[in-house]
């Protein structure tokens, strides 16, 4: 390699510096791994409860079979969705299949991704 010094003394200095740097990097890796293991440990019951959030590790609310969500940017619109639709947004209001059918019959738009109208309207 052309970017290294040609004499043994400077090569040994460089080797020592690299070994010390490698040791520091390995120590930092070990510290980060220890921290990651501690974060994965079960939460202490002594901590304050998180307002409005389920306990860590608990399943969230069940996914509804059907729902109606507000959609549209600038112009409010409602859409009927399957509960597991990825395009449903965060504010899906769970409804029964009958309520979803009624909404579709009254002109509420069906989601173009999950197409609940194909299942709910014969």
């Amino acid at each position: 390699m052309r970017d290294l010094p040609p004499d043994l003394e400077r090569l040994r200095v460089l080797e020592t510096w690299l070994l010390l740097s490698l040791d520091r990097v390995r120590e930092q890796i070990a510290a980060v791994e220890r921290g990651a293991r501690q974060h994965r440990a079960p939460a202490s019951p002594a901590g304050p409860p998180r307002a409005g959030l389920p306990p860590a590790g608990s399943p969230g609310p069940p996914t509804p079979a059907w729902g109606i969500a507000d959609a549209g940017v600038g112009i409010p619109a409602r859409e009927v969705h399957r509960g597991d639709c990825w395009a449903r947004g965060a504010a899906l209001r769970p409804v029964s299949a009958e309520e979803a059918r009624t909404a579709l019959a009254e002109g509420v738009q069906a989601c173009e991704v999950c197409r609940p109208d194909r299942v709910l309207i014969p």
Side-chain angles (χ1 to χ4, degrees):
M1 297 179 72
R2 294 183 183 161
D3 58 339
L4 295 175
D7 58 292
L8 184 59
E9 183 180 352
R10 288 190 290 174
L11 285 170
R12 292 288 182 201
V13 169
L14 184 57
E15 177 187 36
T16 302
W17 182 82
L18 289 170
L19 288 171
L20 291 172
S21 296
L22 181 60
D23 286 342
R24 289 183 56 214
V25 168
R26 287 179 175 159
E27 288 172 6
Q28 184 65 25
I29 289 170
V32 170
E33 287 174 340
R34 278 192 304 275
R37 280 193 300 271
Q38 288 174 352
H39 287 330
R40 281 187 261 143
S44 168
R50 300 178 302 167
L53 297 175
S58 67
T63 301
W66 307 100
I68 297 177
D70 291 327
V73 177
I75 301 172
R78 294 176 14 181
E79 285 185 340
V80 177
H81 291 268
R82 287 176 32 162
D84 61 352
C85 177
W86 63 265
R88 67 188 177 130
L92 184 73
R93 181 174 57 87
V95 296
S96 68
E98 191 56 42
E99 290 173 300
R101 276 189 203 94
T102 302
L104 290 169
E106 292 174 350
V108 174
Q109 184 174 348
C111 170
E112 293 188 18
V113 174
C114 65
R115 299 303 307 253
D117 53 332
R118 291 184 179 172
V119 176
L120 293 170
I121 299 175

